[in-house]
Amino acid sequence: MGSLILCHKKKAKHPYEISRIHMRIYTIEELCYYFCNNLYLVDYTIINRQLCDWLEEELELYDLAEELRGILDQNGPVEQFLLAVLSHASIYSSSEITRIHNVLEHLKNQNEVEREKYKADNLLKAGEVASAILVYQSIVGKEWDDSVGKEFYGQVYGCLGSAYGRLLLYEEAAAMYEKGFNVCQDTKMLKAYLYCCYRYLPQEQYVKMLSNEPVYLSIGSVLKEEIRKAAESVQVEATDEQLKKWKKEYQRGNI
């Protein structure tokens, strides 16, 4: 039997608008939903007195509004403000509140570029591949932050490779994996690079590429065996023409 969630009965006549994403909020539940799904976006643009006034005037949540103003007056942390709202709504279990608190603590200890990657990682995990790619590209496309180290940016390139791979854009994925490997020398990235090359290069050109690099040849042998085993485990047979058709349909649906 599912649990029953009692929602706040009051709905705002005038919505609270989050200008950043052009979103209008009418209830405390909608506000909580926005918070929980956009933890990496929450900042002073929504954690402010305007929100407190809206909660008081539109939803008649006088105690909550007063509590939130007190947090702002004391320059309390963002996570304290968010947790006060989520707890007041009573739609989340204690375990869910704890999980959200842990995520907020994780974000608090990150700098701006790390939070951007966290945002992109979550977008990718949620299937928002094109949006994730844009965020990853913005990270590597601007001046690099020395405090996170070059390995961080190598991993961002790797994430870009993974994102392009999900769209079956193997040539683009290979380019990102190659850049990632050149930055951080992660052999897993080199293996992913070779796999993408295997998928988009003509066989003769791929074999020639492997033979020119002893390291490629060694990893390529392992990769070939893994591909063989994977092929044996797949029951569905498809022609090259069918695979190309599926690829185009998949790309059309994700871009």
Side-chain angles (χ1 to χ4, degrees):
M1 180 181 294
S3 59
L4 178 66
I5 296 177
L6 296 176
C7 296
H8 184 67
K9 64 180 180 180
K10 188 70 175 178
K11 183 177 180 179
K13 291 182 179 180
H14 304 95
Y16 185 86
E17 185 166 351
I18 303 174
S19 57
R20 169 182 279 170
I21 60 173
H22 306 291
M23 179 179 183
R24 292 183 174 182
I25 291 174
Y26 289 87
T27 66
I28 184 67
E29 290 78 25
E30 290 176 354
L31 179 62
C32 291
Y33 181 83
Y34 171 78
F35 280 164
C36 290
N37 287 275
N38 299 277
L39 292 174
Y40 44 81
L41 290 178
V42 177
D43 57 19
Y44 68 91
T45 61
I46 189 170
I47 302 298
N48 52 43
R49 292 188 176 278
Q50 182 182 354
L51 178 61
C52 299
D53 294 342
W54 179 80
L55 289 168
E56 181 177 82
E57 296 167 5
E58 293 291 334
L59 299 186
E60 300 178 359
L61 295 173
Y62 305 110
D63 292 342
L64 176 60
E66 190 64 27
E67 180 182 355
L68 296 178
R69 290 192 186 100
I71 293 173
L72 293 177
D73 289 340
Q74 297 174 16
N75 295 316
V78 170
E79 57 267 21
Q80 184 182 1
F81 191 102
L82 291 183
L83 292 173
V85 174
L86 298 179
S87 298
H88 190 91
S90 301
I91 60 175
Y92 297 99
S93 66
S94 58
S95 60
E96 289 174 319
I97 294 292
T98 299
R99 180 188 63 80
I100 295 168
H101 181 265
N102 291 337
V103 173
L104 290 169
E105 284 294 316
H106 179 70
L107 288 174
K108 184 176 67 173
N109 295 324
Q110 293 183 324
N111 60 25
E112 181 180 354
V113 72
E114 288 174 318
R115 286 193 293 272
E116 288 180 8
K117 183 178 181 298
Y118 180 83
K119 172 185 176 180
D121 291 343
N122 279 272
L123 287 170
L124 186 60
K125 185 177 180 181
E128 300 290 337
V129 183
S131 297
I133 287 174
L134 291 176
V135 179
Y136 287 133
Q137 287 177 335
S138 72
I139 293 173
V140 296
K142 59 188 176 184
E143 185 177 357
W144 288 13
D145 185 340
D146 293 335
S147 68
V148 295
K150 65 179 183 180
E151 290 79 10
F152 172 86
Y153 289 95
Q155 293 302 319
V156 173
Y157 278 121
C159 291
L160 269 170
S162 176
Y164 281 123
R166 291 195 185 191
L167 298 179
L168 306 182
L169 299 173
Y170 293 112
E171 185 171 1
E172 291 83 351
M176 295 300 103
Y177 281 126
E178 184 178 24
K179 287 184 178 181
F181 174 74
N182 289 336
V183 170
C184 64
Q185 301 297 304
D186 186 340
T187 54
K188 291 181 180 179
M189 222 167 287
L190 183 58
K191 184 177 179 181
Y193 163 71
L194 292 178
Y195 174 75
C196 292
C197 290
Y198 167 80
R199 293 304 303 265
Y200 87 88
L201 286 175
Q203 181 67 17
E204 182 178 343
Q205 189 175 344
Y206 174 71
V207 172
K208 183 178 180 180
M209 183 189 75
L210 293 183
S211 62
N212 289 334
E213 291 286 346
V215 176
Y216 287 3
L217 195 59
S218 176
I219 296 176
S221 298
V222 175
L223 187 59
K224 182 178 179 180
E225 179 62 17
E226 291 180 356
I227 292 173
R228 184 190 67 78
K229 290 181 178 179
E232 289 179 350
S233 66
V234 176
Q235 300 298 319
V236 178
E237 294 184 2
T239 63
D240 290 341
E241 184 177 349
Q242 183 64 55
L243 289 172
K244 289 180 180 178
K245 180 181 178 182
W246 289 343
K247 178 178 179 179
K248 289 180 180 179
E249 290 176 350
Y250 185 85
Q251 291 172 357
R252 192 181 307 118
N254 285 274
I255 296 180

